[in-house]
């Protein structure tokens, strides 16, 4: 593996340097997003074991003497790795050099940990006044519960997402990915980009703070305003929308399909396609259909019971009804549409050889009179081995260029 230098990497953040002190998922996900955009991302890890997620499994892949955790792969592509003991003078000196040359520093330690290591916010800004610091915590850096450890499972519950997710009030469920971590990383990246833009005007860096619970509350969306404005307590609604109907997962002869009837025009089309009187009592408008959802589900599934899923999807498409299936993940990574969007990338791993990873979710284009030309980065680096890039990073710091 030859990690690309900032000059060689393609992307809108080419030329920027990110020092990633974070571990597990929220911070590393943010760091990976910057790497995907072309920034040079230097991951600082603990000597010996490295990032916590290097040991999170199964699954582990590769030879028995060098097992690789696929969890680590999910949030560390396009990075370099250096292992530093931040309690040692050598480690502190190298980190000081990295901060001096960085545009962004990412950390997700508990509040006060960096201060005790000698890298308080004030010290980091003294080293580099243009530095943008992204600090991600579990519950926020201040407030009465700031000291609580941040774990996705806890945040999903504490910030209300689990109260909305599941088949019903007695079946609350976590989301199937660590969504609190991921959203904290995404929101944090968004904040960093805003701070970098501001730095262009002011010449000064800034601290950007977010948390797992902030990420959760940030996506409450209409469920949040149901609570704050309407005074309701939203409940888990399974696979059906609480404010639209029919909108959800419906059984058919050999499985199930999803439909989204999001307006009255679509309702008229749906009824015409499946021989339903659109003016049926209790179904004439969306509010009535929501109120009478069980009866509507029964009616629709009765109509759908005559169709296999493939034929039903074809009929829905012909009628102009938004619809789809439910794919498992292996199916997603074989799906032609997902592949067309660059959502699977191949990288060369030093232990495993060629492997496929989930791809970045953004594409970039130059637009001109003759049309659009895609400029999306297509060559990506595998997640690094622990301390793989220490020699080159130290040499770069010593060189001063």
């Amino acid at each position: 593996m030859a990690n690309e230098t900032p000059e060689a990497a393609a992307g809108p953040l080419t030329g920027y340097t990110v020092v990633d002190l974070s571990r597990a998922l929220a911070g590393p996900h943010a760091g990976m997003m910057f790497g995907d955009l072309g920034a040079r991302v230097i991951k600082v890890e603990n000597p010996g074991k490295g990032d916590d997620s290097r040991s999170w499994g199964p699954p582990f892949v590769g030879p028995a003497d060098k097992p690789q955790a696929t969890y680590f792969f999910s949030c560390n592509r396009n990075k370099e790795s250096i292992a530093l003991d931040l309690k040692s003078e050598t480690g502190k000196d190298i980190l000081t050099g990295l901060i001096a040359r960085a545009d962004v520093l990412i950390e997700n330690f508990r509040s006060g940990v960096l201060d005790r290591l000698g890298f308080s916010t004030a010290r980091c800004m003294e080293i580099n006044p243009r530095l943008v610091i992204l600090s991600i915590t579990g519950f926020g850096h201040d407030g009465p519960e700031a000291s609580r450890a941040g774990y996705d499972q806890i945040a999903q519950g504490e910030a209300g997402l689990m109260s909305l997710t599941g088949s019903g009030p007695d079946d609350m469920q976590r989301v199937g990915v660590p969504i609190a971590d991921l959203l904290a990383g995404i929101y944090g990246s968004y904040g960093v980009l805003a701070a970098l833009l501001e730095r262009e005007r002011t010449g000064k860096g800034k601290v950007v703070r977010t948390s797992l619970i902030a990420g959760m509350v940030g996506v409450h969306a209409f469920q949040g305003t149901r609570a704050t404005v309407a005074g309701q307590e939203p409940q888990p609604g399974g696979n059906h929308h609480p404010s639209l109907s029919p909108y959800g997962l419906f059984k058919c002869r050999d499985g199930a399909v999803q439909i989204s009837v999001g307006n009255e025009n679509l309702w008229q089309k749906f009824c015409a396609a499946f021989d339903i009187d659109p003016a049926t009592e209790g179904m004439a408008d969306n509010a009535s259909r929501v109120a009478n959802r069980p009866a509507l589900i029964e009616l629709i599934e009765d109509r759908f019971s005559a169709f296999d899923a493939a034929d039903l999807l074809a009929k829905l498409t012909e009628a102009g009804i938004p619809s789809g299936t439910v794919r498992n993940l292996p199916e997603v990574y074989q799906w032609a549409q997902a592949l067309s969007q660059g959502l699977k990338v191949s990288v060369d791993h030093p232990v495993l050889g060629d492997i496929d990873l989930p791809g970045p979710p953004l594409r970039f284009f130059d637009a001109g009179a003759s049309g659009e030309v895609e400029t999306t980065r297509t060559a990506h680096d595998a997640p690094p081995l622990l301390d793989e890039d220490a020699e080159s990073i130290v040499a770069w710091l010593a060189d001063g260029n």
Side-chain angles (χ1 to χ4, degrees):
M1 179 182 95
N3 279 297
E4 295 174 292
T5 65
E7 292 75 20
L13 292 186
T14 295
Y16 287 81
T17 298
V18 177
V19 175
D20 183 3
L21 296 180
S22 64
R23 64 264 186 249
L25 185 53
H29 188 78
M32 184 174 70
M33 290 176 67
F34 296 128
D36 290 344
L37 296 175
R40 182 181 191 182
V41 182
I42 297 173
K43 183 177 181 67
V44 177
E45 302 188 66
N46 289 325
K49 294 185 178 179
D51 190 310
D52 294 347
S53 66
R54 288 187 183 274
S55 65
W56 286 359
F60 296 98
V61 294
D65 61 339
K66 287 187 178 180
Q68 306 293 310
T70 61
Y71 200 116
F72 179 82
F73 290 175
S74 73
C75 52
N76 287 290
R77 66 173 173 260
N78 294 324
K79 297 183 185 180
E80 302 169 50
S81 172
I82 183 170
L84 297 179
D85 178 1
L86 296 181
K87 295 180 180 179
S88 72
E89 289 306 312
T90 298
K92 290 178 187 292
D93 288 345
I94 294 174
L95 180 56
T96 299
L98 289 171
I99 291 172
R101 302 189 67 174
D103 296 284
V104 178
L105 176 72
I106 304 173
E107 65 92 5
N108 62 354
F109 295 105
R110 287 199 197 187
S111 295
V113 170
L114 270 186
D115 294 38
R116 292 193 294 273
L117 290 171
F119 293 95
S120 65
T121 298
R123 174 57 181 150
C124 289
M125 291 302 189
E126 179 185 355
I127 297 168
N128 182 355
R130 290 175 54 83
L131 185 67
V132 173
I133 300 174
L134 172 57
S135 178
I136 302 175
T137 55
F139 290 81
H141 79 288
D142 54 8
E145 300 184 41
S147 63
R148 293 179 66 180
Y151 286 93
D152 178 87
Q153 179 84 34
I154 308 303
Q156 287 200 36
E158 291 277 25
L161 193 67
M162 286 179 68
S163 77
L164 307 172
T165 309
S167 62
D170 297 325
D171 181 40
M172 292 183 289
Q173 297 284 335
R174 66 184 291 276
V175 175
V177 296
I179 193 68
D181 279 305
L182 295 169
L183 286 169
I186 293 168
Y187 274 119
S189 301
Y190 154 76
V192 166
L193 293 177
L196 289 172
L197 282 173
E198 184 181 49
R199 191 182 73 174
E200 294 300 307
R201 300 193 307 270
T202 67
K204 296 180 180 179
K206 179 156 287 192
V207 180
V208 177
R209 298 190 185 277
T210 191
S211 65
L212 272 60
I213 63 166
M216 291 288 82
V217 174
V219 295
H220 281 176
F222 73 93
Q223 299 281 32
T225 50
R226 287 179 69 189
T228 63
V229 180
Q232 296 181 0
E233 182 186 340
Q235 301 284 325
N239 292 314
H240 292 275
H241 199 290
S243 300
L244 295 172
S245 186
Y247 194 111
L249 185 72
F250 293 84
K251 297 175 183 175
C252 61
R253 185 161 56 198
D254 67 342
V257 300
Q258 302 209 88
I259 62 172
S260 298
V261 179
N263 57 52
E264 294 307 313
N265 181 50
L266 287 173
W267 172 243
Q268 295 290 329
K269 290 181 178 180
F270 180 79
C271 288
F274 292 95
D275 193 25
I276 297 171
D277 180 358
T280 300
E281 184 178 356
M283 299 183 188
D285 56 50
N286 179 67
S288 300
R289 294 192 294 273
V290 171
N292 292 283
R293 182 182 290 113
L296 180 60
I297 292 173
E298 183 178 359
L299 173 62
I300 291 173
E301 290 189 339
D302 177 70
R303 296 292 195 274
F304 285 5
S305 65
F307 296 89
D308 289 338
D311 293 336
L312 179 55
L313 288 168
K315 183 175 179 66
L316 288 162
T317 298
E318 182 180 5
I321 306 301
S323 59
T325 187
V326 177
R327 301 176 191 270
N328 61 38
L329 292 196
E331 290 171 338
V332 170
Y333 293 114
Q334 296 170 8
W335 184 23
Q337 185 60 28
L339 298 178
S340 77
Q341 302 305 300
L343 296 176
K344 183 172 74 171
V345 298
S346 295
V347 298
D348 181 16
H349 189 269
V351 173
L352 303 176
D354 290 337
I355 58 173
D356 292 332
L357 301 175
L362 297 176
R363 297 171 70 191
F364 295 89
F365 298 80
D366 285 340
S370 59
E372 293 185 344
V373 177
E374 184 160 6
T375 59
T376 305
R377 175 179 183 171
T378 56
H380 297 274
D381 292 325
L385 300 178
L386 177 60
D387 207 31
E388 179 178 351
D389 305 283
E391 184 176 345
S392 63
I393 292 169
V394 171
W396 171 66
L397 291 176
D399 181 62
N401 294 319

